[in-house]
Amino acid sequence: MRTPADCLELARTEDDSTALHRLAQCPYPFVWHALAVNPRTAPETLVELSTAHDSAWNDNRLLCLLAEHPGADLMVLRAVRDAVAAKLTAGERPYAAVLALAARTELATEEVRRLGTLHGASARLRTRLDRHLALRA
């Protein structure tokens, strides 16, 4: 039987994508965060993690890490965008994830800019989002 510490260590150091995918089933958000940082985590696993739920803070941190992941492809980034949009609409503030998505040129500018028009987007977020998107050009 693996302990939470064992799961965390494996999430940080494992390089087998099948083992990493199995670790995504762990109920521990710190393991999900470690998977989202591990550059060897496959895009399919990252997409699955985009739907993981624990608490607002852990969920928003996870979405930010997924948006920043070097192996995140368009499928992953769109899954994160959709999760962020749902959280903004629900009144949560995944602002770091929005700004991380703005830095990803794989997504069209308008795809990301729409996040600033959602119910939970503050004026400050919209200003910072515009600045981040302007840096792309």
Side-chain angles (χ1 to χ4, degrees), residues 69-91:
H69 193 279
D73 59 13
L74 192 55
M75 180 177 64
V76 173
L77 295 174
R78 286 195 170 140
V80 171
R81 180 205 59 200
D82 294 345
V84 166
K87 289 190 173 295
L88 283 169
T89 302

Side-chain angles (χ1 to χ4, degrees), residues 52-116:
H53 295 291
D54 177 65
S55 67
W57 191 92
N58 281 323
D59 295 352
N60 293 340
R61 175 75 177 135
L62 179 60
L63 290 172
C64 182
L65 293 172
L66 293 172
E68 294 171 341
H69 193 279
D73 59 13
L74 192 55
M75 180 177 64
V76 173
L77 295 174
R78 286 195 170 140
V80 171
R81 180 205 59 200
D82 294 345
V84 166
K87 289 190 173 295
L88 283 169
T89 302
E92 290 188 35
R93 295 178 274 183
Y95 296 166
V98 172
L99 298 177
L101 288 171
R104 299 299 297 251
T105 57
E106 296 94 331
L107 289 172
T109 301
E110 280 310 307
E111 281 183 270
V112 182
R113 190 179 309 280
R114 274 186 234 127
L115 295 172

Side-chain angles (χ1 to χ4, degrees), residues 1-72:
M1 185 91 181
R2 288 187 180 146
T3 67
D6 294 336
C7 292
L8 178 60
E9 182 62 24
L10 283 172
R12 288 178 174 159
T13 60
E14 185 63 57
D15 58 2
D16 177 44
S17 62
T18 304
L20 291 171
H21 191 76
R22 277 194 307 270
L23 283 169
Q25 306 306 312
C26 284
Y28 311 114
F30 53 86
V31 172
W32 305 337
H33 295 170
L35 289 169
V37 172
N38 186 334
R40 295 171 301 277
T41 303
E44 297 78 24
T45 304
L46 298 174
V47 168
E48 185 173 322
L49 287 171
S50 73
T51 62
H53 295 291
D54 177 65
S55 67
W57 191 92
N58 281 323
D59 295 352
N60 293 340
R61 175 75 177 135
L62 179 60
L63 290 172
C64 182
L65 293 172
L66 293 172
E68 294 171 341
H69 193 279

Side-chain angles (χ1 to χ4, degrees), residues 88 93 95 115-116 118-128:
L88 283 169
R93 295 178 274 183
Y95 296 166
L115 295 172
L118 297 175
H119 171 70
S122 67
R124 185 175 186 185
L125 174 64
R126 287 189 294 275
T127 300
R128 293 184 72 193

